[in-house]
Amino acid sequence: MQPDGFQMSWLLLALDWLIRLVALLWIPTRTTPGAARSWLLLVGFVPLLGLPLYLLMGHPWLSARRVRRQAQVSRRIRRQQALQHEQRWIPDDDTVAAEIVPLVERQGDFMPTHGNAVELLDDYHGALRALIDDIDGAAERVHLLYYLMFDDAVGEAMVAALERASARGVRCRVLLDAVGAKRGLRRYRRRLRSAGVDVQAMMPGGLRWRRSGRMDLRNHRKIALVDGRVGHVGSQNLAGPDFIAGFPNRELVARVKGPVVAHLEAVFTSDWYVETGQALEVLSTPASTVADVAAQLLPSGPAYPFANARDAVNALIHLARRELVLVTPYFVPDEATLAALRIAALSGVRVQLVLSASNNQRLTWWAQQSYYDELLRAGVRIALHQPHFLHAKHLRVDDELALVGSINVDIRSFALNAEIGLLAYDAGLVAQLRTIEQDYLAHALQLDLAQWRRRPAWQRSREGIARLADALM
């Protein structure tokens, strides 16, 4: 006997509330309170859609095989560094570096080293030319690890450089994120492989995601290595500055030499092993350079036991004594980061956020704006850079320390993406970064609290609603 419409309505109502109850009991035990709030709100409004979405994307799980492989390479990295005492840099007592070094090393595996040279590349096309020139000078190997590669003029130039290198007998390996570099992989994978370049896609999408982890986990790192002697790390992808129409990017890349290059190569070989199961015996120890910059790597991602990027960024904010400058294109902080910024400003630290006046992700932009009022009230300065989409990501603490890399200040960078940061403990390099920041600010609008509060009520409502979805971004 088929149930009538009345009975069917009651069955649907019961299922609706059953889903809500199960979500209420289950979701908070598997994720952070902030993320649980967003998911429970979605399930509460649309249970039949919210629960399946949570099952697909709610918990940042990674396959046991990937977690096990990361643990294996972490142990290997630590064993190798234990034999390299002469390269370890020891910070002075009572400094920001002395406080942050142990945290970064315990979470991300890498000790700080001295004897490095670090060059900051602020010119988009200049940074690409420097990378291609380094590849053209390669004699042994080229390793590229990038989130995004486009099928544009930059993609063509990079592929041509790899083809030239491979033709000279240079061993070339390329790791590209399967989603971020989808267009580049589709266009160039077969061509590169036919030239002898080993190309691998990271974190594949489609049905294969079940063997990798949560389907929206991504490898967001940008690393290039040539012969184990020079490395590039930063925010810039393998694409032209206008690969998103209307949002020409401005980036920052660090070109490095010295012992830290071997550590960058260890990150590459770790990701290669986690993705393919193939262990590359290419780790080297470049000699110290004429320069003597102390540097340390901060890798992070869901394969690590802790949220390395989030913890390090929050610790650095708390450690600032006089000045903190934070540059990021995507600013959707969790409660701990928001509180850290507010406390720093109220404690007398000059806190300056430099964000982009335009944004290619509308929901993120709206959510980002919802934090401005609270931060401005606490004394945080917020500048909106106008000429470009400011995609650079870096942080400066006083005159002591700079963090440059791929890390955004949002839940995606803190919990979902594999990221990389380079910490430089050097007053000269920090002064260079300050000069770059001043140029950002010369082309930026400083927000005024009174003026900001005059925005329409509908805009404030839109921002508040978008903020509720912070865990879904």
Side-chain angles (χ1 to χ4, degrees):
M1 178 177 177
Q2 296 293 327
D4 58 23
F6 181 76
Q7 290 173 315
M8 183 60 72
S9 297
W10 274 105
L11 285 173
L12 290 174
L13 182 63
L15 177 62
D16 192 76
W17 280 99
L18 178 62
I19 290 174
R20 288 188 174 99
L21 180 61
V22 169
L24 182 62
L25 296 175
W26 188 37
I27 291 177
T29 66
R30 295 174 58 83
T31 187
T32 62
R37 176 202 65 207
S38 297
W39 283 108
L40 288 173
L41 184 66
L42 178 62
V43 173
F45 273 103
V46 243
L48 294 176
L49 175 64
L51 187 59
L53 280 177
Y54 175 80
L55 294 174
L56 286 174
M57 302 169 51
H59 182 62
W61 69 274
L62 199 63
S63 71
R65 182 176 65 179
R66 288 177 178 268
V67 173
R68 183 175 63 253
R69 286 178 176 176
Q70 178 62 59
Q72 290 170 351
V73 295
S74 289
R75 288 193 295 270
R76 183 184 180 191
I77 288 168
R78 291 175 181 274
R79 285 196 302 268
Q80 289 177 330
Q81 290 182 122
L83 305 175
Q84 300 168 352
H85 300 291
E86 72 284 355
Q87 292 184 348
R88 177 180 286 275
W89 175 72
I90 307 297
D92 294 335
D93 293 337
D94 194 30
T95 61
V96 172
E99 297 288 339
I100 198 65
V101 158
L103 173 66
V104 173
E105 184 171 359
R106 287 168 186 156
Q107 290 194 333
D109 304 326
F110 292 103
M111 68 181 185
T113 60
H114 58 79
N116 300 287
V118 181
E119 178 186 6
L120 296 180
L121 305 177
D122 180 42
D123 175 66
Y124 197 105
H125 294 289
L128 289 169
R129 283 194 301 271
L131 176 55
I132 291 174
D133 287 346
D134 284 335
I135 294 173
D136 281 337
E140 298 177 9
R141 63 182 182 270
V142 173
H143 289 163
L144 302 182
L145 164 58
Y146 279 87
Y147 169 69
L148 187 148
M149 183 178 187
F150 238 51
D151 53 345
D152 59 6
V154 170
E156 287 288 338
M158 198 60 56
V159 169
L162 291 168
E163 288 173 329
R164 292 192 297 271
S166 185
R168 297 193 306 273
V170 176
R171 184 61 189 269
C172 300
R173 298 181 178 94
V174 178
L175 270 173
L176 296 172
D177 184 82
V179 175
K182 184 177 180 180
R183 288 179 57 170
L185 285 165
R186 185 189 300 122
R187 178 76 173 270
Y188 302 122
R189 176 155 40 187
R190 183 176 299 177
R191 175 178 160 187
L192 285 169
R193 286 179 173 173
S194 67
V197 178
D198 197 346
V199 182
Q200 298 289 338
M202 298 178 288
M203 301 299 293
L207 295 177
R208 290 175 293 172
W209 68 268
R210 291 177 296 176
R211 300 198 302 269
S212 302
R214 174 171 149 176
M215 64 187 303
D216 65 332
L217 300 183
R218 305 267 50 92
N219 193 312
H220 193 242
R221 294 169 178 155
K222 293 96 172 164
I223 299 172
L225 296 147
V226 177
D227 290 345
R229 62 177 176 79
V230 60
H232 296 242
V233 58
S235 64
Q236 189 164 329
N237 287 293
L238 301 181
D242 54 352
F243 70 92
I244 298 177
F247 297 93
N249 284 21
R250 184 170 182 180
E251 309 282 1
L252 185 66
V253 174
R255 183 176 181 269
V256 298
K257 293 182 178 180
V260 76
V261 175
H263 293 181
L264 281 170
E265 191 123 58
V267 174
F268 177 89
T269 56
S270 297
D271 280 358
W272 189 274
Y273 176 66
V274 169
E275 192 61 48
T276 69
Q278 178 187 6
L280 301 178
E281 297 296 334
V282 298
L283 296 182
S284 60
T285 307
S288 296
T289 65
V290 175
D292 195 20
V293 174
Q296 184 179 23
L297 287 190
L298 171 63
S300 66
Y304 290 90
F306 301 100
N308 300 355
R310 180 200 65 194
D311 293 350
V313 168
N314 286 348
L316 288 170
I317 294 171
H318 284 298
L319 287 169
R321 301 173 182 178
R322 297 178 300 279
E323 185 178 27
L324 176 84
V325 180
L326 176 60
V327 179
T328 180
Y330 306 116
F331 179 76
V332 186
D334 59 10
E335 290 299 324
T337 309
L338 185 66
L341 290 167
R342 184 178 65 246
I343 291 169
L346 290 172
S347 299
V349 176
R350 186 182 187 277
V351 180
Q352 174 72 69
L353 296 184
V354 186
L355 311 175
S356 185
S358 59
N359 198 300
N360 62 341
Q361 297 186 17
R362 191 60 59 87
L363 186 63
T364 300
W365 194 18
W366 294 340
Q368 175 173 302
Q369 292 172 332
S370 71
Y371 297 93
Y372 294 171
D373 189 286
E374 178 180 350
L375 291 170
L376 290 168
R377 280 190 289 115
V380 174
R381 302 175 184 222
I382 302 174
L384 303 181
H385 185 72
Q386 295 175 312
H388 302 87
F389 175 44
L390 187 58
H391 192 249
K393 310 139 196 308
H394 47 90
L395 182 152
R396 178 171 61 83
V397 176
D398 300 331
D399 296 318
E400 297 185 37
L401 179 154
L403 171 62
V404 176
S406 67
I407 302 166
N408 295 310
V409 181
D410 61 7
I411 190 170
R412 174 150 294 281
S413 273
F414 284 177
L416 306 181
N417 288 345
E419 304 282 7
I420 187 69
L422 173 73
L423 286 152
Y425 308 100
D426 182 82
L429 187 77
V430 171
Q432 293 179 42
L433 188 61
R434 180 193 290 273
T435 300
I436 293 171
E437 294 165 356
Q438 290 172 346
D439 187 66
Y440 293 160
L441 294 172
H443 300 89
L445 171 67
Q446 288 280 2
L447 288 184
D448 174 76
L449 178 59
Q451 184 177 5
W452 178 248
R453 285 180 169 174
R454 287 198 288 270
R455 69 196 189 285
W458 64 265
Q459 186 175 335
R460 293 194 293 269
S461 298
R462 181 183 67 184
E463 295 161 3
I465 294 170
R467 182 168 173 171
L468 292 175
D470 57 357
L472 312 180
M473 296 175 190

